[in-house]
Amino acid sequence: MSSFSSSAILWQVFPLGALGTPATNPEVEGEDYCPPRTLRDLEPWLDHAVRIGANVLSLGPIFHSYSHGYDTIDYYRIDPRLGTLEDFKSLVEAAHARGVKIVLDGVFNHVGSRHRLVEGLRNGPSEDAQMLVPNWDEWKEGELPAYHCFEGHTGLATLNHANPRVREEITNVMNHWLDLGADGWRLDAAYAMSPSVWSDILPKVRSRHQEAWIVAEVIHGEYADMVSQSGWDSLTEYELWKATWSALNDANFYELDWTLGRHNDLLDTFVPQTFIGNHDVTRIATQLNNQEQVGIAAAILFSVGGVPSIYYGDEMGFTGRKEERLGGDDAIRQPLPSSPEQAMQDPRAQHFFHWYASLCAMRRQRPWLWHAKTKAVHLENEVMRFVSYNGDQAITVVLNISDAPLPRGSEVLQGCGEPIAGQFDNNALRPNAYVIFDGECGSDLGS
């Protein structure tokens, strides 16, 4: 496993949205286009990410595509809406100068319908055609045959991963961008591919880039088995994401406790990528019924084991609801302000930023948390105390989503020392708030 995981805090950016690019690629439409903002314009935001406490920039798709970035046209070219290869190299250099690593988004399950392989199907069966999954039953010369597509989207043609040429090309693409300075890959839609595909590809990638960190997008399934079979370092833990906001909205910390038990089991095999927001889900400030509970959600994220990820703008209180329609992701992939300085003048942004930055600081001071397990020591629907521990190191986390403050003399706070993070006011934990203490408070980790 890459050593990357042990200290990483990700700041995830969706460049096509963050930089305010057109919804479709003007160049593909035959238009001349000069992007007003390029990947270089993310460089000032690196300092913002560092101020939060992040040390990894996780980029959404940046390669030549037609629309949302997941319909790749050319894996070896930066999307002209985001600038050029030189803009990418400049961003990588700026990131590395600040001690920030770069993770790229690899769309290797499918290609866009404007990819040369898809257009080549019009010419009939060929070696290139075997890199996709066409149906020649009713094909007529010069026409495009039916082909297997990702989740029914005809604009996304599924690659034939059983074909050695496809696996070789994926290997080449991954190594190409790692050679140019990337430090890892997020594997888009990895759940749609057999783990055995990656057990063939990743050893060849690691033979040249031993420290590259590989995280797979997986929603459902037997997480630990998939990691063991594939060779991934990590995967996206949607189970904990769902349990976090659902427990808060439903006032049901028993759901969170159950999921943290499963989370403990996963940590025996690998360290999941944890999150409360990303480019595919409703913004956490919108998902929660009470926006003041975003701090509690963030406290859960940063106090349990995992590789935590912050979705750009969540730390400034961005809102947006994902909708299942054409353009339904636009609201959650909005442009960044022109500069961090402008953004942070907003009192709302400062309010949210404090939650994230203080929790990141707590996390960075306790790197052992990346592999910490948890144990609930006080559990009610609206009040929870749990301990995160790794060996003889521990923190105690108290969450209160009830309508009443919890005074220090209350059962849930007995035996706790001085707070290291949270909202502990006037010797009490106010409603819809969290507090974190060093050490274990009234628990028996061995039981």
Side-chain angles (χ1 to χ4, degrees):
M1 175 179 290
S2 169
S3 61
F4 182 104
S5 305
S6 61
S7 61
I9 296 176
L10 280 59
W11 192 56
Q12 184 203 1
V13 175
F14 192 84
L16 291 170
L19 296 174
T21 67
T24 56
N25 195 327
E27 182 184 282
V28 179
E29 304 285 5
E31 303 174 20
D32 292 331
Y33 180 71
C34 181
R37 301 172 80 182
T38 72
L39 291 174
R40 289 180 195 256
D41 289 280
L42 292 178
E43 292 177 21
W45 287 93
L46 292 169
D47 294 325
H48 171 85
V50 170
R51 282 194 292 271
I52 305 169
N55 56 4
V56 179
L57 175 63
S58 179
L59 292 171
I62 61 172
F63 307 125
H64 191 206
S65 66
Y66 175 64
S67 60
H68 44 60
Y70 293 103
D71 50 350
T72 312
I73 295 174
D74 187 346
Y75 287 105
Y76 293 96
R77 183 183 174 197
I78 298 296
D79 193 298
R81 291 173 289 175
L82 299 174
T84 66
L85 178 60
E86 293 309 310
D87 294 314
F88 170 78
K89 289 180 176 179
S90 178
L91 177 61
V92 170
E93 182 178 357
H96 288 171
R98 292 164 171 81
V100 175
K101 295 181 183 294
I102 298 281
V103 171
L104 301 181
D105 203 341
V107 189
F108 300 128
N109 178 69
H110 47 267
V111 295
S113 58
R114 289 166 174 77
H115 192 280
R116 65 171 185 83
L117 289 176
V118 179
E119 284 299 312
L121 293 177
R122 297 181 186 276
N123 301 323
S126 66
E127 287 191 7
D128 278 355
Q130 294 174 30
M131 296 177 74
L132 300 174
V133 190
N135 183 345
W136 302 109
D137 290 349
E138 299 180 6
W139 174 70
K140 296 180 181 179
E141 189 172 354
E143 294 184 358
L144 195 64
Y147 52 85
H148 190 280
C149 51
F150 174 61
E151 296 183 348
H153 300 291
T154 55
L156 305 175
T158 305
L159 289 165
N160 177 12
H161 301 101
N163 187 322
R165 289 183 63 204
V166 170
R167 298 197 299 273
E168 180 182 11
E169 182 63 7
I170 293 172
T171 303
N172 291 341
V173 171
M174 293 179 74
N175 277 327
H176 174 79
W177 293 100
L178 291 169
D179 288 345
L180 289 174
D183 301 287
W185 284 95
R186 170 193 178 269
L187 306 177
D188 179 69
Y191 57 86
M193 301 170 61
S194 168
S196 64
V197 174
W198 295 107
S199 67
D200 179 35
I201 292 172
L202 292 183
K204 300 169 187 174
V205 173
R206 296 191 194 282
S207 68
R208 281 171 57 175
H209 299 280
Q210 184 177 359
E211 290 301 309
W213 185 65
I214 310 297
V215 58
E217 182 195 17
V218 176
I219 301 173
H220 306 293
E222 290 302 319
Y223 290 166
D225 289 346
M226 297 171 77
V227 169
S228 296
Q229 294 169 23
S230 63
W232 306 324
D233 291 303
S234 185
L235 55 72
T236 53
E237 195 183 356
Y238 272 86
E239 289 182 2
L240 185 55
W241 161 78
K242 191 272 178 185
T244 299
W245 64 259
S246 180
L248 295 175
N249 280 351
D250 297 342
N252 179 16
F253 276 135
Y254 289 91
E255 177 182 359
L256 177 62
D257 180 54
W258 186 92
T259 304
L260 287 175
R262 176 166 164 81
H263 184 71
N264 284 342
D265 293 338
L266 297 178
L267 287 164
D268 289 334
T269 304
F270 72 102
V271 180
Q273 185 203 332
T274 52
F275 61 95
I276 54 174
N278 67 29
H279 65 292
D280 280 330
V281 302
T282 293
R283 291 272 184 180
I284 188 64
T286 300
Q287 184 72 63
L288 291 177
N289 297 333
N290 184 343
Q291 290 192 5
E292 284 301 299
Q293 293 180 355
V294 170
I296 298 177
I300 297 167
L301 172 68
F302 286 103
S303 61
V304 304
V307 182
S309 173
I310 305 166
Y311 184 48
Y312 82 100
D314 281 356
E315 79 285 357
M316 295 181 285
F318 281 18
T319 59
R321 186 172 301 280
K322 178 183 174 68
E323 299 178 354
E324 296 301 329
R325 60 173 178 81
L326 185 64
D329 292 319
D330 294 349
I332 61 174
R333 301 174 181 178
Q334 59 264 63
L336 280 167
S338 59
S339 72
E341 291 74 22
Q342 178 201 40
M344 292 309 299
Q345 290 176 4
D346 182 355
R348 175 183 170 83
Q350 296 170 17
H351 182 59
F352 280 77
F353 188 89
H354 172 73
W355 281 328
Y356 282 86
S358 61
L359 287 163
C360 277
M362 184 278 297
R363 178 81 175 212
R364 292 291 294 272
Q365 292 162 7
R366 296 163 182 81
W368 55 265
L369 278 167
W370 78 286
H371 204 259
K373 294 190 175 184
T374 59
K375 180 181 179 66
V377 292
H378 185 105
L379 187 61
E380 305 174 31
N381 282 329
E382 298 179 337
V383 177
M384 182 177 186
R385 182 171 78 189
F386 65 86
V387 177
S388 288
Y389 61 95
N390 188 342
D392 59 358
Q393 298 174 300
I395 59 171
T396 298
V397 182
V398 182
L399 311 174
N400 179 26
I401 57 173
S402 71
D403 293 330
L406 299 176
R408 183 181 287 276
S410 65
E411 177 185 353
V412 71
L413 287 170
Q414 285 179 2
C416 293
E418 290 303 309
I420 57 173
Q423 302 139 308
F424 198 75
D425 303 323
N426 300 318
N427 220 28
L429 178 60
R430 62 179 175 80
N432 294 308
Y434 68 91
V435 64
I436 302 175
F437 302 90
D438 249 333
E440 58 177 282
C441 300
S443 68
D444 179 4
L445 300 184
S447 65

